[in-house]
Amino acid sequence: MERVFSALDRFRIELPSWGFANTGTRFGKFLQPAAAVTIEDKFSDAGEVHALTGVCPTVAMHVLWDLPGNADASAITQLANRHKVRPGSINPNLFQDQAYKFGSLANPDIAVRQQALGHLTDSIGVAKALDSRDISLWLADGSNYPGTANIRQRRRWLEECLRAAHTELDPKQRLLIEYKPFEPAFYHTDIADWGMALLLARAAGNQARVLVDTGHHYLSQNIEQIVAWLLADGMLGGFHFNDRRYGDDDLTIGSIDPYQVFRIFNEIQFFEWERGAHADIAYMIDQSHNLKGKMEAMIQTVMTAQELYAKAALVDHTALAGAQSRTDLVAAESLLQDAFSTDVRPAIREWRLAHGLPGDPLRAFRESGYLERITADRSQRPGAGVSSSYA
Ligand code: RM4
Ligand code: MN
Ligand code: MN
């Protein structure tokens, strides 16, 4: 009980504004009448999730979708205050403009690279104005056919641009570099894996870190090992959590493989036990709720993340270190399995009640009338169903 309580006291997870908006696949998009359209809708929905769960104080924003043009930072801050959340990570958009057909920061055309760097610099400015620390950078850059791109030259362009962007950071800000093996590029992707992201982060400067999106790996890859290595090198900046069965599916966390998420949390907490200090990691959600109700999917996600984090907190790391050094394989493995098999839900419920939160946030949401209210309000608007994210 005590371990679960102290784990939950420190665990916070960031909500993505785009997780409340209509999203789809390249084949189509099924619109939901309750989906958020405006930035106010997104803050309102995020505020509701935070009010019910108590662990989502910040909201990630995508610059193009949420803060187009000269976004008025004070208006955004007011919105955030009204809904009792804070602006979180800022995500530049270097993939939707027509100019980026052949890449952004790694485009062979210097004018496009400059445009992309300009947008990145503006995004850092937006983050400063909103007092948000992290700039999360994901690039779609890559190529579709062998021989069509100079891979090494593109890396140099990337390094140059990232170094230039890094000089714009405030001392407290961080540049998080996200990798992804493929899609939209289908032959080579400029930042395809954690090693490339790590080298680029090192080249960029000492405030750059790697961002691990759990959906951005080949299927059999050992993600917790990547996490362990990045931790050991002080280079793990944060996560984009989501689950997947095939590609970058953006399903709700733990829906397919909860043990995977548990193993990641276990590596982190094992590291923290060893160091006697908490690692500075931004836990963020990056999901696309195409079919599930967006609010429900988000609450479900947060509850599952808490559960898996709490389970990982049950691993007895002193015993684990002992079993590992004695090479007592079954004892070591059982420590993980026993923790994973423990039902932590009653303890989490107690923790919620002790903090004045509903014992069952999902049920509380269903009984709150919030969904009915936003469904009615949003479907009456002119242009209802228009989305502000993903094509
Ligand atoms: C990418 C990646 C990024 C997200 C974009 C829209 O696959 O996960 O984090 O911002 O999608
Ligand atoms: Mn992501
Ligand atoms: Mn993704």
Side-chain angles (χ1 to χ4, degrees), residues 102-375:
F102 301 119
S104 60
L105 299 176
N107 193 299
D109 182 344
I110 187 168
V112 180
R113 293 203 299 282
Q114 272 162 357
Q115 176 182 333
L117 182 57
H119 176 76
L120 182 50
T121 307
D122 290 348
S123 303
I124 295 171
V126 169
K128 282 180 194 163
L130 293 174
D131 201 21
S132 58
R133 178 171 73 145
D134 292 336
I135 291 89
S136 302
L137 185 66
W138 172 73
L139 302 182
D141 289 48
S143 67
N144 275 5
Y145 295 96
T148 60
N150 184 332
I151 294 172
R152 283 172 295 107
Q153 175 60 64
R154 288 174 71 98
R155 175 183 169 187
R156 285 194 291 273
W157 284 326
L158 262 180
E159 284 174 353
E160 257 170 39
C161 290
L162 293 175
R163 217 173 280 132
H166 192 281
T167 63
E168 302 289 327
L169 297 173
D170 268 352
K172 279 196 193 128
Q173 286 188 302
R174 305 190 305 171
L175 182 64
L176 306 183
I177 302 179
E178 182 173 356
Y179 57 91
K180 172 165 167 169
F182 69 93
E183 195 203 24
F186 292 125
Y187 167 63
H188 109 278
T189 294
D190 286 294
I191 315 179
D193 67 24
W194 71 279
M196 298 178 201
L198 174 64
L199 290 175
L200 287 171
R202 287 208 173 122
N206 56 16
Q207 288 160 244
R209 298 282 181 280
V210 177
L211 190 154
V212 177
D213 183 313
T214 48
H216 293 187
H217 302 88
Y218 289 111
L219 281 177
S220 58
Q221 230 166 336
N222 185 333
I223 304 175
E224 62 269 27
Q225 183 182 6
I226 295 170
V227 168
W229 277 54
L230 289 173
L231 277 169
D233 274 41
M235 291 302 284
L236 179 65
F239 286 94
H240 271 178
F241 282 113
N242 50 66
D243 211 340
R244 47 81 74 89
R245 181 70 180 83
Y246 300 103
D248 186 19
D249 308 342
D250 284 340
L251 300 177
T252 49
I253 190 173
S255 55
I256 302 293
D257 188 357
Y259 197 42
Q260 165 68 86
V261 187
F262 168 88
R263 294 193 307 265
I264 290 173
F265 285 147
N266 173 59
E267 282 305 326
I268 293 169
Q269 296 188 36
F270 193 22
F271 170 86
E272 292 177 329
W273 168 82
E274 210 174 273
R275 297 288 160 109
H278 293 300
D280 182 10
I281 301 169
Y283 295 111
M284 302 179 275
I285 298 165
D286 180 9
Q287 291 177 177
S288 176
H289 310 126
N290 298 342
L291 306 178
K292 280 181 177 171
K294 291 160 201 308
M295 296 288 292
E296 285 193 352
M298 204 62 92
I299 295 166
Q300 192 189 28
T301 296
V302 175
M303 292 172 72
T304 307
Q306 284 182 298
E307 239 175 76
L308 294 165
Y309 189 82
K311 280 172 190 273
L314 296 181
V315 176
D316 180 339
H317 290 118
T318 312
L320 183 64
Q324 288 178 349
S325 65
R326 293 191 312 275
T327 55
D328 188 341
L329 309 186
V330 171
E333 188 191 18
S334 300
L335 284 163
L336 266 65
Q337 289 174 329
D338 290 346
F340 183 65
S341 310
T342 308
D343 186 1
V344 291
R345 288 172 300 182
I348 298 180
R349 192 186 153 78
E350 288 308 312
W351 180 85
R352 290 194 179 114
L353 295 175
H355 287 80
L357 296 162
D360 181 348
L362 201 49
R363 181 159 166 205
F365 172 71
R366 288 188 172 161
E367 289 169 355
S368 70
Y370 183 87
L371 183 62
E372 290 73 11
R373 205 161 56 242
I374 58 171
T375 306

